[in-house]
Amino acid sequence: MSNQPVRIVGDGGPSVVLLAGGAESVSDFFPGLVDELVSNRRCRVVLYDRPGVGSNATPGQLSGASVALHAMLETNGFGPAVLIGQSLGGAAALLLARDYPEDVAGLVLLDPSLVNDVNLARSTERAARAAAFLCRVPLVEKLFDSQFRSYGAKLADRRNLSSDDRSAFAQAAAVDIPKLREAVQGLAEIAQDFRESDLPRVPSAVVTADRKKSSKVFRAHARLAEALGAHLHQWPGAEHAVHLTNPSEVVDVCRQVLGEVDLRT
């Protein structure tokens, strides 16, 4: 795919915006989904890298994600849109839904970063900051890179992923830690002001990785689902990159939300 901050696939139907996690580009982050949305759902798919991440050279942080998303949708006449976001991409989608509810027709949140839990958000920032500091040492940076790639390869083998999904996993495993540290900066401050009650009731789904129901992350995701009036999905063995470990299940969830949006329009 083209290395551009905004790329459009399809020329009709409802707009669906894809938002990748971390500081990664949305290009090819979810193999097969674009074809599914364009060919089978007749959607116009918007692949978008917000400022500060992926191919977007414009400086920016998560705190400005909703303004940037709103401007992109308004400029191109794409709203209201269904947003499909993973990790920090899911957090950006939630901020748009809170700040510009008229822009959002539906939400699919794939193990979203925790904008609704200050302590977890603070821990995420702290971990990213520590990793970026350690990566100032070249040998440590290489060690991190090796560990991420090894973990990704083993997980791909265990899940018996297709070649396209393996490629996407390799892309996700090539983490630019300093850029990720910038991407999560301000997450705790955002979480302090975030109120689940400010979210609109639109067709939605929240997907959480396979973790204990007593975990703080699971409970935070459950609160998001309750606020949105959405179903909370969880599958055995699902990892944070749930779109890659459980692609068929996630595609089904996307179909369900789009079906609910269709019924409303």
Side-chain angles (χ1 to χ4, degrees):
M1 290 184 178
S2 172
N3 193 32
Q4 297 294 327
V6 182
R7 184 169 184 264
I8 315 303
V9 184
D11 56 6
S15 297
V16 180
V17 180
L18 303 190
L19 301 167
E24 304 307 313
S25 174
V26 73
S27 179
D28 296 325
F29 99 106
F30 192 161
L33 181 61
V34 174
D35 285 343
E36 162 67 22
L37 294 173
V38 173
S39 300
N40 297 330
R41 299 295 313 185
R42 306 298 182 193
C43 297
R44 173 174 52 196
V45 179
V46 182
L47 298 108
Y48 179 61
D49 290 341
R50 62 182 174 82
V53 307
S55 61
N56 198 330
T58 303
Q61 294 182 337
L62 186 62
S63 59
S66 65
V67 173
L69 269 164
H70 170 69
M72 184 274 291
L73 292 170
E74 187 173 54
T75 298
N76 293 284
F78 291 154
V82 175
L83 287 92
I84 301 174
Q86 188 262 339
S87 193
L88 280 176
L94 281 164
L95 295 178
L96 180 72
R98 181 196 65 180
D99 297 340
Y100 300 95
E102 69 279 4
D103 285 349
V104 179
L107 292 167
V108 178
L109 306 171
L110 306 175
D111 213 48
S113 296
L114 280 307
V115 292
N116 63 328
D117 189 297
V118 176
N119 291 330
L120 290 173
R122 189 175 291 121
S123 296
T124 299
E125 274 199 79
R126 189 182 301 120
R129 188 163 53 245
F133 177 80
L134 291 172
C135 281
R136 293 178 181 179
V137 179
L139 287 177
V140 175
E141 184 177 21
K142 288 182 179 180
L143 178 61
F144 272 126
D145 183 65
S146 175
Q147 288 180 331
F148 280 130
R149 292 178 185 276
S150 176
Y151 173 75
K154 289 178 180 178
L155 189 56
D157 286 340
R158 193 161 67 243
R159 305 290 297 195
N160 194 28
L161 298 181
S162 68
S163 58
D164 286 344
D165 286 335
R166 284 176 180 273
S167 177
F169 239 122
Q171 175 180 308
V175 179
D176 184 331
I177 293 178
K179 197 169 184 179
L180 177 62
R181 182 254 183 274
E182 292 298 318
V184 302
Q185 186 173 341
L187 183 62
E189 186 175 352
I190 290 169
Q192 285 180 329
D193 297 327
F194 191 88
R195 300 291 179 268
E196 293 145 0
S197 58
D198 291 337
L199 293 172
R201 286 287 183 117
V202 294
S204 305
V206 181
V207 179
T208 190
D210 187 7
R211 51 178 66 92
K212 293 181 179 180
K213 289 179 173 56
S214 60
S215 76
K216 293 180 180 179
V217 176
F218 180 91
R219 294 203 300 267
H221 284 162
R223 293 197 304 272
L224 285 174
E226 182 178 5
L228 291 164
H231 184 70
L232 181 63
H233 300 266
Q234 186 184 53
W235 307 296
E239 299 275 344
H240 179 55
V242 66
H243 59 299
L244 298 178
T245 59
N246 297 76
S248 61
E249 291 95 332
V250 171
V251 168
D252 284 342
V253 167
C254 293
R255 289 194 192 110
Q256 291 167 19
V257 171
L258 283 164
E260 292 178 34
V261 171
D262 289 344
L263 290 173
R264 288 196 178 191
T265 57

